[in-house]
Amino acid sequence: MPLIAPSILTANFLKLGEEIEMINSSEADFIHLDIMDANYVPNLTFGFPVIQQIKSVAKKPLDTHLMILDPDRYLEEFRDSGADILTVHYEACRHLHRTIQKIKDLGMKASVSLNPATSVDLLEDILPDVYMVLIMTVNPGYGGQKFIPQSVDKIRKLRKMINDRGLDTMIEIDGGVNLNNIGTLAEAGVDVFVVGNTVFSAGDPVAIIRQLKNGGL
Ligand code: DX5
Ligand code: ZN
């Protein structure tokens, strides 16, 4: 069964408590937090005080996706705010190996993300060190974008790299996931699906999460 990580990027922030309660009461596996710095990506979201408040009511692990340059500067603050999984971008780190080790030393699960134009071949030497790889299936920055079709080959290639080496690294994808494509993508080898718009634009988000969990349409 696929793991589902609703992204609150397109949630109603005036009712954030209710949105988190909705995720708590659903079959979702993680709560996905998109942290943007208006520098690495052309958008700005929220930071530590908001994460802390979410953590105080969340019943699912916080899957924290950092779209910020040089994330080393803030790893400890993210841990202290309640991040369980911390994802950094390959393209935003000067010394990725060092960053990954530091995330693990701080007691979080370490994950690395690749933009659509970054090849999975670059993960060859870091793969055994990470809990998860997050393949961006849209360009990072905004919710509600269209899934980039070339991502499917990339997912298959990464799945093969992981299996050939006997690793248990998880594959997560982020962007443009919906009830129509989740089945094919799970078959291609994805373990965890970040889903924003499909969940938060729905009349009954709990029901949509259940449908996604069951492989979509
Ligand atoms: C984009 C974010 C995504 C986004 C996914 O930078 O990382 O998490 O919210 O949203 P949808 O599912 O709407 O494409
Ligand atoms: Zn994300």
Side-chain angles (χ1 to χ4, degrees):
M1 242 189 196
L3 302 182
I4 307 298
S7 159
I8 61 160
L9 188 61
T10 42
N12 180 350
F13 277 75
L14 288 177
K15 296 184 176 170
L16 190 55
E18 288 170 35
E19 302 280 46
I20 302 299
E21 284 309 332
M22 180 282 289
I23 300 176
N24 283 342
S25 72
S26 77
E27 291 171 43
D29 299 277
F30 302 131
I31 300 177
H32 187 84
L33 305 180
D34 286 307
I35 313 296
M36 305 188 188
D37 68 350
N39 189 7
Y40 179 61
V41 286
N43 198 0
L44 182 63
T45 56
F46 51 87
F48 309 119
V50 176
I51 301 172
Q52 285 159 19
Q53 291 187 26
I54 292 172
K55 184 68 179 180
S56 71
V57 292
K59 296 202 173 92
K60 320 263 178 177
L62 301 187
D63 174 27
T64 315
H65 177 193
L66 303 187
M67 284 159 274
I68 66 178
L69 280 181
D70 205 1
D72 292 51
R73 296 171 294 161
Y74 301 110
L75 300 179
E76 213 163 329
E77 283 90 335
F78 282 110
R79 194 271 316 268
D80 294 345
S81 301
D84 297 286
I85 303 168
L86 202 64
T87 298
V88 293
H89 266 260
Y90 179 93
E91 306 86 356
C93 295
R94 277 179 236 266
H95 301 283
L96 181 62
H97 185 270
R98 179 180 288 146
T99 308
I100 294 295
Q101 299 313 316
K102 206 169 157 196
I103 293 171
K104 297 203 283 191
D105 289 346
L106 287 166
M108 294 175 285
K109 294 197 161 90
S111 155
V112 61
S113 182
L114 300 183
N115 279 337
T118 308
S119 169
V120 293
D121 293 337
L122 294 165
L123 295 176
E124 191 77 35
D125 296 317
I126 197 74
L127 209 46
D129 294 302
V130 295
Y131 166 75
M132 186 164 85
V133 174
L134 169 53
I135 303 276
M136 289 307 302
T137 44
V138 297
N139 283 295
Y142 304 97
Q145 301 181 79
K146 248 182 91 191
F147 180 88
I148 298 173
Q150 299 93 294
S151 312
V152 180
D153 287 342
K154 209 166 155 178
I155 293 160
R156 290 212 171 94
K157 193 170 178 189
L158 178 59
R159 172 47 60 202
K160 188 171 177 336
M161 279 167 75
I162 292 170
N163 291 355
D164 286 352
R165 294 170 68 174
L167 299 170
D168 56 7
T169 320
M170 295 213 286
I171 303 179
E172 181 177 52
I173 64 166
D174 191 348
V177 174
N178 56 47
L179 290 169
N180 294 308
N181 61 15
I182 191 167
T184 315
L185 294 164
E187 269 168 38
V190 177
D191 304 292
V192 188
F193 294 87
V194 176
V195 194
N197 224 41
T198 298
V199 166
F200 288 98
S201 66
D204 186 351
V206 171
I208 295 290
I209 293 170
R210 184 176 316 120
Q211 265 182 285
L212 288 162
K213 197 77 198 150
N214 289 319
L217 296 173

